[in-house]
Amino acid sequence: MNIAVAQSGGPTCAINASLVGVFKESLKEPEIDAIFGSVNGIEGMIENHLIDLKTMIFTNEDMELLRQTPSTVLGSCRYKLPDWHEDESVYKRILRTMQQRQIGAFFYIGGNDSMDTVQKLSAYFAEQEIDIKIIGIPKTIDNDLCVTDHTPGFGSAAKYVATTMQEIIRDSSVYSIPSVTIVEVMGRHAGWLTASSAVLHGLGEAAPHLIYVPEADFSLEKFMKDVRQEMAKHKAVIVAVSEGIEVPEGVQSGVVDNFGHKYLSGIGSYLERAVRAEIGCKVRSIELNVMQRCSSHLCSRTDIDESEAIGSAGVRCALRGETGKVMVFRRLNDMPYTVTIETADAKEVANREKALPREYINAAGNNITDQALGYFMPLIQGELVIQMNHGVPAHFTIQESLLK
Ligand code: F6P
């Protein structure tokens, strides 16, 4: 049989490592012949836009390069499959591609929305009695997938956030005048990534002095009070704020994607304007923006290795005859850090969000407790030896014309 793999949702530093895991494991299996990459996630399966990965990835060096390349080498999408009872046409098109290409297993690397596709497609095939295995491989910097201990991509983003935050702390502390620096972190409705900046507390930093996550109530009035209190103690106050905290209408664009998610951005500059207007001190906001999910020169080795391993495990799962499953991590221990890879039903993961536990947030709702540090610390450990190209990291890319 042949297999196909696709990548979906927002990019991370580790999605290509999971692709390498699927690819390498499939190469080992005599019963797998062609390994197709579907361009732009499930859209490639609908449009029959597949590329033969064996004609692009040849050597171990190619795979190493792909492992250190951020984003999704096959492109991505935010495509919501309709309910097949209402519209079966798109399922028929996917099936046509799969039958024409003799695909016996399809691996979808994505977040909670992509697991909706895994669930719907596997349920449709089961009802039609079609034997094609559908397996989900998790990823997201938001770390908000249910069942799994953490998600591939999160550890690298958390390492970037902590490292950049530490550099910002150094930079912001040089002048004698009081200042406030507000750092906006991604993560949608979940505060995991913003909260991970608290690892610096475990390394002896007092900052970030304030950390705001969507799981705690937020009000501008309380924020101002918190900032004033911290300014009384510190010359340079550093604030980490999640893009997903509750703010008045109009601060964000209001534009939504196919899954109904709002495009979030702008909270940092909103709070900057508020501090300037009310306190009048030196204030700067910094939006970490896409850098926090694509800065693979600073990725976590643990994250990249685990992401490859969970991709490989996905192939073994399909070959065991399972379908409609999502691969998940189960943590056995923080120190020494130990995880196993298991499976969960896609319906347990699809369209659900895992919030930051309440015990990780302090009583005032403006910082993270030390209890969270044991969870975060192992995920950011280790570095890749990055191959460089004339002074900048080398990336693996696919010819643009093949992706159009
Ligand atoms: O996929 C997760 C994520 O990176 C969120 O943290 C962020 O809010 C969103 O994607 C951004 O979406 P897009 O890449 O479509 O701008």
Side-chain angles (χ1 to χ4, degrees):
M1 70 165 176
N2 300 326
I3 63 128
V5 54
Q7 303 167 308
S8 159
T12 79
C13 286
I15 308 182
N16 289 328
S18 291
L19 176 64
V20 169
V22 170
F23 185 79
K24 258 194 201 167
E25 195 66 29
S26 301
L27 283 184
K28 285 190 219 155
E29 289 300 331
E31 65 178 283
I32 297 177
D33 190 9
I35 305 168
F36 291 112
S38 168
V39 175
N40 294 125
I42 198 67
E43 290 175 6
M45 300 307 290
I46 300 168
E47 303 298 333
N48 197 4
H49 188 183
L50 308 188
I51 50 184
D52 182 347
L53 291 177
K54 282 190 187 169
T55 64
M56 282 162 207
I57 309 169
F58 301 105
T59 60
N60 283 337
E61 287 71 37
D62 289 341
M63 290 186 228
E64 273 307 308
L65 211 52
L66 188 50
R67 257 166 62 91
Q68 73 168 48
T69 302
S71 179
T72 55
V73 77
L74 298 170
S76 185
C77 69
R78 293 205 187 269
Y79 185 98
K80 191 173 175 68
L81 279 181
D83 182 334
W84 80 81
H85 299 104
E86 285 158 23
D87 179 7
E88 202 184 341
S89 61
V90 81
Y91 291 83
K92 287 187 169 158
R93 289 176 70 183
I94 294 172
L95 181 58
R96 202 180 310 133
T97 301
M98 290 192 171
Q99 287 177 331
Q100 192 191 324
R101 306 279 192 150
Q102 296 179 313
I103 289 165
F106 174 62
F107 301 94
Y108 208 28
I109 310 171
N112 26 26
D113 296 337
S114 314
M115 297 313 135
D116 175 75
T117 302
V118 170
Q119 190 206 339
K120 285 177 173 159
L121 211 49
S122 56
Y124 176 75
F125 285 169
E127 198 179 84
Q128 306 293 314
E129 296 182 0
I130 292 160
D131 185 22
I132 299 174
K133 312 290 188 254
I134 311 290
I135 302 291
I137 305 199
K139 70 88 217 173
T140 172
I141 63 159
D142 298 350
N143 200 38
D144 60 350
L145 259 59
C146 290
V147 191
T148 191
D149 174 76
H150 59 280
T151 53
F154 172 70
S156 293
K159 190 179 181 99
Y160 176 84
V161 168
T163 307
T164 304
M165 192 69 82
Q166 191 181 41
E167 291 164 348
I168 290 171
I169 295 167
R170 296 284 87 76
D171 185 281
S172 309
S173 316
V174 296
Y175 299 115
S176 57
I177 54 167
S179 67
V180 177
T181 304
I182 301 160
V183 183
E184 178 182 325
V185 184
M186 277 182 166
R188 275 213 189 111
H189 313 301
W192 294 97
L193 193 53
T194 310
S196 71
S197 62
V199 299
L200 294 177
H201 299 163
L203 304 177
E205 299 282 0
H209 306 103
L210 296 165
I211 303 179
Y212 295 99
V213 293
E215 290 85 350
D217 291 338
F218 182 85
S219 82
L220 191 56
E221 201 188 340
K222 171 80 172 44
F223 169 78
M224 284 301 171
K225 207 168 145 216
D226 291 347
V227 169
R228 284 182 200 280
Q229 262 171 15
E230 291 305 316
M231 286 184 84
K233 292 186 263 174
H234 308 282
K235 181 186 60 159
V237 171
I238 313 287
V239 182
V241 62
S242 167
E243 63 172 1
I245 61 161
E246 201 70 40
V247 284
E249 282 291 317
V251 171
Q252 283 141 345
S253 69
V255 178
V256 292
D257 69 16
N258 285 343
F259 282 85
H261 302 303
K262 280 191 203 153
Y263 285 105
L264 305 170
S265 151
I267 278 173
S269 60
Y270 161 73
L271 296 176
E272 175 189 330
R273 286 193 301 277
V275 170
R276 185 166 298 116
E278 282 205 31
I279 302 178
C281 63
K282 176 174 161 68
V283 52
R284 169 176 279 133
S285 62
I286 300 164
E287 189 177 333
L288 295 186
N289 212 302
V290 299
M291 285 84 83
Q292 63 205 294
R293 64 185 194 189
C294 63
S295 295
S296 57
H297 59 284
L298 210 53
C299 65
S300 149
R301 173 81 194 248
T302 301
D303 182 32
I304 299 300
D305 288 348
E306 284 185 343
S307 301
E308 182 179 334
I310 206 164
S312 308
V315 174
R316 293 196 297 276
C317 177
L319 293 176
R320 282 196 303 272
E322 298 194 56
T323 187
K325 301 288 179 192
V326 178
M327 310 312 295
V328 292
F329 291 122
R330 187 156 77 87
R331 188 183 300 213
L332 304 178
N333 209 14
D334 285 344
M335 232 176 18
Y337 173 63
T338 341
V339 285
T340 54
I341 299 175
E342 301 181 352
T343 58
D345 284 334
K347 60 175 177 301
E348 291 177 69
V349 182
N351 303 314
R352 297 171 64 193
E353 286 168 343
K354 184 173 73 180
L356 195 67
R358 189 63 188 88
E359 65 269 22
Y360 285 3
I361 306 169
N362 70 352
N366 61 11
N367 218 319
I368 297 303
T369 63
D370 287 351
Q371 219 183 313
L373 308 189
Y375 172 82
F376 289 126
M377 273 303 182
L379 307 180
I380 65 171
Q381 299 307 309
E383 292 74 43
L384 280 192
V385 178
I386 301 286
Q387 290 180 58
M388 304 299 277
N389 175 20
H390 293 89
V392 294
H395 285 172
F396 182 98
T397 54
I398 292 177
Q399 218 182 308
E400 202 185 336
S401 58
L402 293 172
L403 297 173
K404 272 206 243 155

